[in-house]
Structures are given as C-alpha cells and as structure tokens.
Amino acid sequence: MFDFTSMTTAIDSYLNSVLPSSAATLIECAIIAVCVIVAYLVFAIIMIFMERKVCAAFQCRLGPMRVGPWGLLQVFADVFKMLIKEIISIKNSDKILYNLAPFLVLMSSIITFSCLPFDKGLQVLDFNIGAFFIMAASSFGILGILLAGWSSNNKFSMIGAVRSGGQMISYELSMGLSILTLVVLSGTMQISEIVETQTKGWFIFTGHVPAFIAFIIYIIAGNAETNRAPFDLPEAESELTAGFHTEYSGMNFGFFYVAEFMNMFIIAGIASTLFLGGWAPLYVPGLEGFNSVMECIPGFVWFLAKTFFVIWLLMWIRWTFPRLRIDQVLALEWKYLVPIGLINLLIMTICVVMGWTF
Amino acid sequence: MKFKDTYFGGIFGAISSLLTGMGVTLREFFTRKVTEQYPENRKELHISERHRALLVMPHDENGNNKCIACGLCRQACPNGTISITTRTVTDEETGKSKKVLDTYMYDLGACMFCQLCVNSCPKGAIEFTNEFENAVFDRKKLIMKLNR
Ligand code: SF4
Ligand code: SF4
C-alpha cells in the first residue's frame, strides 16, 4: 500500500529547509486547514446530492432532474439561494450566543472530520487516544445545539434543544460502549493502528458476533446522534416547526444543515474505520492472489466506498422507519442499547481473553 | 405471558418487523420510478385512465350523440357548470312531439371534476378524457359547446 507519510514528510522537510521552523509550521497548519475545509465542503455537496437522490429512489421518485444533467447542479442552486437570504436578527435573543451556536456545531464536526483516516498516513489528527478524542470532539456539537435553542428566545427552539440534549447525551453512551468494544478487540486507541490491525481482516469479521452487535448498536446510536429520523425529535417538523434552528435563516441555517450532513459522513466514516477496516483492503486469509488484487485498489477508494456504503445504510434506515416518541427514544437507549452494549463489551472481553477471535 | 411480550421477545419482534420494513423499501429502491418528466416526455407520457381532465360528449361517425336532453347532468352538477338549451320537434310519422338537444354548454372554468354529471347520465352520453393541456389566456374560451 502506498504510504502518504512519505509525501507529507517530504513537504515538511522541504518547507523546513527553505523557511525557519516556526514559519514552516504556520504554513503547514494553513495548508492543512484549507485542505480539511475544502474536503469538508466537497463531501457536504456530495452528501446533500446523494441524500436527495437516495431519498427519491426510496420513494419511487427520480429526485432533482432539472438543474444541470440529472440535477447535478441542484446543490449549488440551494447554496446560492441560502446565500442571498437575509440573516434576520431576533428580538430579545442573546445576540452573541445566537451567532456563536452554528459555529460551535460546525467546529465540532470539522474537528471530528479531521480525525478520519482517508488513507495510510492521510490523516490530520492521530494520537494515542484517538478514539476518545473523536468521542469528545463529536459530543461538543451538542453545546452548539443547546445554545442555539436557548438563545433564540423561542419556545419551539427551546423544547427542541432540550430534547436534543436528552437524546444526544444518552446516545453518546451506547456509542462510546460500542467504540470501546472495538478498542478492546484492537488493543489500541490510536486510529491509525486500529486500521493497521485490520489489514489482516476487518474487525466485523475477526470480531464476529460481538463486533456485529456493536456495529448495529453503533449505527442506531449514530443515527440518533445526527438527529435524523427515526430520531429527529429535536427538529420534529410536525410539532416544533424546525426545532432548535427554527429562528435561523440564510447561511446560519446553512451551517446547521451542512454540519448535520457532515455528521452523518463522520458517523459513517468512523463506522467504516472501526468495523469495516477503514482504508484496509478486503483480506481473505489463504487467498494470496485475491489479496494482492485487492491491494492494487488505492486505500482512499476503499475508505470512501465503505463510508458511502454506510451512509447509504443510514439513509435506508432514515427513509424507512417512522419516528419514535421521546419516551420511546429514551427507553430504547436506557432499557435496551445500554444493557446490550455492556453485555456485549463483556462478551468481547471474554472472546479476546480466551483468544476466540480470528 | 407470551414470548413476544417479554423483554427478549420484544427485541426479536422489533428486529424482525424492522427488517420487514427495510425489505419493502429496498424493493422500492430498485423498482422503476414513477416520476414523469412532463414537457420533455409528452410523447410517452403516461396518465391514468381514470384521470378527469376535460368533459366531452362522444359522437359517432354520423355526428350523432347519445344525449336525450333529459337535464339530469345539469341537475346533478353542484357548480352549475352545465347549461342545456332544448327545442321541441314533432315526429312526422307518429305526430308525437319530442325534446331534443340544442346546445350543451360546459364551463371548464367552473368544473371541479367531481364526475357527478357522468355518473348521473342515463345514456352514457358524456365522459371525461385525459386531455389536460387546457390552459388558455381568456376565460371565455373555457366555455365549450360539447354537442355538434
Ligand atoms: S364534473 Fe362535477 S362540476 Fe364538473 S360538470 Fe360534472 S358535475 Fe359539474
Ligand atoms: S348528457 Fe346525459 S344526463 Fe345530460 S342531458 Fe344528455 S342524456 Fe341527460
């Protein structure tokens, strides 16, 4: 497999040779920031388009077809519409928090996004407690949602924000449990090492039953984390207009919208990293010819293919199931997912200790 | 207590019913899509047979229609869309007088396509067709004479 570290170290040593080291670091930070934000936006555009098309297909429609061939330019038209809308300021709202909230949400999702390993060495943040860092970074987006609801001075926003607080903090738990299950299996928390281990078999195969249960729990919790149906209570159009972002307009709303889509990408990316092997190609022990063919496909293709497969799975769930009530949401988490997750963690530990994994 | 009411029965019941639902939507994902891309596909546009777009009175090859000018359709119409004028003709052989249709006026602009007129007609003289491209720039053009 091609290792991108050689490329990044080459750029690093070149910059250090022509510039003082502080300036080199500054420029590297800027380059990385630009790359991350560009990738973030590109994926957001792809995701929004994909959502429209996949949703349409599940409803037996064609989706957008008019703007550009097959409606390819629809997303740009949407963004343009959002950009020319007025950003209204709400009477009696808390101006600072009101304007800060979308950025908190966006920031949390960008930081988590930069933890995703796109290919060997193609990863911005990678250190020894990576799994914990992802959980921490992804959960401070909830702060932005709570602030958005609180500062808009609107009862619908407030109810939406409180619901989303209750829901996201609860589901954080079972998400953490299923990530921990995989950490037990891999024996490390460093994202790059987790993927490295999976070049000799993806965890969903090597970890068999407990890994599969953890995957299901992760998908359910991930759906709840992104506030999408069947867990879209914080937004609940029918009862709360738009929930916590009722009062937002123009690009401030756009940030929430983009962050929601990218959270789905991130959830899918982490799922594919932890369970489906990230950039690791399909490895079947014993079939050397097959394995070497699989090796020829570049890592980022593997990663994106798996991620978009999981995204498709999430969309399939979203457009199939009816919405839950708030008490059902919490009952599902505390009565079902958490106990199952804990027992599953125990089973995985026993499997690892007894050497029952492949 | 039946198994499906227990904790684990609930879990398995939920999983199987959710999978059933996902199976249904997956089938839908791969079926042919029903969207009609209207102005481009005017040639192969598919409209349901039962779609009501325009009231017509079919005429046979000799230009005769089946209407007996009974006025039931006019009475059935909630909107007063139909107006009928009649004249009386005397049959030469029998000498009996008979009401025949003079004009049958239908105001498309006032019609709500409820089909009560078609249902009430004892002779099946009027029917709805699929001709839906009826937009005009003058309201007067919406008032049509259906008989020839
Ligand atoms: S469809 Fe209804 S509204 Fe239209 S002419 Fe017939 S009875 Fe009247
Ligand atoms: S169209 Fe039918 S219901 Fe109307 S006047 Fe003629 S025969 Fe009677």
Side-chain angles (χ1 to χ4, degrees):
Chain A
M1 287 244 105
F2 182 71
D3 193 347
F4 278 87
T5 0
S6 56
M7 204 169 87
T8 45
T9 40
I11 296 173
D12 178 53
S13 54
Y14 171 73
L15 280 177
N16 269 314
S17 64
V18 291
L19 289 167
S21 85
S22 58
T25 314
L26 201 66
I27 288 179
E28 280 164 16
C29 286
I31 293 173
I32 289 167
V34 168
C35 288
V36 166
I37 289 172
V38 166
Y40 188 86
L41 290 179
V42 167
F43 283 121
I45 288 167
I46 297 173
M47 292 275 307
I48 293 173
F49 183 69
M50 180 179 168
E51 164 84 4
R52 280 165 159 263
K53 282 295 187 189
V54 171
C55 142
F58 275 122
Q59 295 175 345
C60 212
R61 298 183 285 120
L62 287 177
M65 293 293 279
R66 296 291 151 136
V67 193
W70 302 290
L72 277 171
L73 300 177
Q74 182 69 46
V75 182
F76 297 96
D78 285 350
V79 172
F80 188 67
K81 183 200 83 173
M82 243 175 237
L83 280 174
I84 58 177
K85 274 190 174 179
E86 183 190 0
I87 296 182
I88 49 172
S89 71
I90 311 297
K91 207 174 164 189
N92 292 336
S93 67
D94 191 327
K95 293 279 177 317
I96 300 173
L97 295 184
Y98 177 79
N99 290 318
L100 180 70
F103 288 97
L104 279 181
V105 174
L106 198 67
M107 210 159 77
S108 125
S109 88
I110 288 183
I111 293 178
T112 324
F113 178 74
S114 52
C115 293
L116 294 178
F118 285 91
D119 202 341
K120 194 171 186 157
L122 205 62
Q123 180 179 10
V124 180
L125 294 174
D126 182 32
F127 47 97
N128 55 3
I129 50 162
F132 272 166
F133 182 77
I134 284 181
M135 278 150 69
S138 68
S139 53
F140 90 74
I142 172 72
L143 204 62
I145 289 177
L146 281 174
L147 284 183
W150 175 253
S151 61
S152 330
N153 188 26
N154 174 326
K155 52 182 174 290
F156 293 136
S157 306
M158 189 63 217
I159 296 173
V162 170
R163 277 188 185 182
S164 113
Q167 173 183 320
M168 287 171 87
I169 291 170
S170 309
Y171 278 85
E172 202 70 47
L173 205 68
S174 52
M175 194 152 171
L177 280 176
S178 61
I179 292 180
L180 277 188
T181 313
L182 267 290
V183 168
V184 168
L185 178 60
S186 66
T188 170
M189 281 199 185
Q190 188 159 353
I191 298 294
S192 58
E193 276 181 37
I194 289 178
V195 182
E196 199 76 52
T197 334
Q198 295 183 77
T199 49
K200 293 277 169 283
W202 303 352
F203 281 159
I204 196 148
F205 300 131
T206 55
H208 52 90
V209 180
F212 187 71
I213 294 173
F215 181 66
I216 303 284
I217 292 178
Y218 183 86
I219 292 287
I220 296 172
N223 233 332
E225 286 286 293
T226 48
N227 285 338
R228 288 164 59 79
F231 301 99
D232 67 345
L233 291 162
E235 283 157 37
E237 288 95 353
S238 48
E239 50 212 67
L240 297 178
T241 46
F244 61 87
H245 57 56
T246 307
E247 299 290 359
Y248 284 86
S249 65
M251 219 44 216
N252 272 353
F253 165 73
F255 288 146
F256 279 119
Y257 189 67
V258 165
E260 186 186 317
F261 272 100
M262 284 315 287
N263 280 338
M264 188 162 68
F265 181 86
I266 290 159
I267 295 289
I270 296 171
S272 77
T273 307
L274 291 178
F275 298 94
L276 304 177
W279 48 259
L282 189 60
Y283 177 85
V284 185
L287 292 176
E288 287 320 315
F290 177 75
N291 289 342
S292 56
V293 171
M294 287 291 140
E295 291 265 325
C296 295
I297 303 172
F300 59 89
V301 174
W302 277 108
F303 177 78
L304 291 179
K306 289 168 195 172
T307 306
F308 278 102
F309 171 73
V310 178
I311 289 170
W312 182 79
L313 217 60
L314 289 171
M315 287 179 179
W316 183 12
I317 292 169
R318 189 226 187 287
W319 292 105
T320 302
F321 298 150
R323 202 169 77 213
L324 295 166
R325 241 176 16 230
I326 184 75
D327 62 318
Q328 292 169 330
V329 166
L330 294 181
L332 174 68
E333 165 68 9
W334 293 102
K335 287 194 192 156
Y336 293 94
L337 294 187
V338 168
I340 294 174
L342 282 170
I343 293 170
N344 192 40
L345 181 60
L346 192 70
I347 297 174
M348 180 58 98
T349 319
I350 294 170
C351 282
V352 169
V353 171
M354 307 297 275
W356 288 339
T357 54
F358 295 115
Chain B
M1 200 177 187
K2 290 201 203 80
F3 176 65
K4 76 172 174 44
D5 297 329
T6 60
Y7 180 83
F8 290 103
I11 294 177
F12 288 116
I15 291 174
S16 78
S17 77
L18 290 179
L19 286 180
T20 313
M22 287 174 83
V24 171
T25 44
L26 188 65
R27 226 174 302 129
E28 204 68 16
F29 188 77
F30 291 108
T31 49
R32 232 187 115 255
K33 305 295 172 252
V34 293
T35 310
E36 301 282 350
Q37 303 208 55
Y38 164 54
E40 289 89 355
N41 75 343
R42 277 171 89 167
K43 296 257 175 351
E44 64 266 22
L45 189 65
H46 168 257
I47 300 177
S48 160
E49 284 288 305
R50 291 157 60 200
H51 180 69
R52 306 166 196 163
L54 183 66
L55 190 70
V56 294
M57 183 177 278
H59 288 72
D60 63 15
E61 59 274 14
N62 302 325
N64 297 322
N65 54 49
K66 292 194 213 138
C67 180
I68 53 168
C70 64
L72 284 177
C73 53
R74 183 186 55 199
Q75 279 173 32
C77 180
N79 286 7
T81 306
I82 298 164
S83 56
I84 299 171
T85 55
T86 57
R87 68 192 133 89
T88 317
V89 291
T90 315
D91 199 307
E92 275 148 26
E93 284 175 24
T94 57
K96 281 183 184 167
S97 60
K98 187 179 157 199
K99 224 169 38 166
V100 294
L101 185 67
D102 205 13
T103 53
Y104 189 103
M105 302 304 289
Y106 164 66
D107 183 0
L108 178 61
C111 181
M112 61 174 178
F113 310 104
C114 62
Q115 213 176 11
L116 289 176
C117 49
V118 176
N119 290 343
S120 69
C121 179
K123 292 286 168 187
I126 42 177
E127 65 183 33
F128 269 107
T129 59
N130 278 344
E131 293 301 314
F132 66 94
E133 291 171 322
N134 295 324
V136 284
F137 283 102
D138 189 355
R139 281 203 60 155
K140 291 195 196 83
K141 288 183 184 157
L142 292 174
I143 302 171
M144 294 174 229
K145 183 164 173 273
L146 294 192
N147 63 325
R148 288 206 200 117

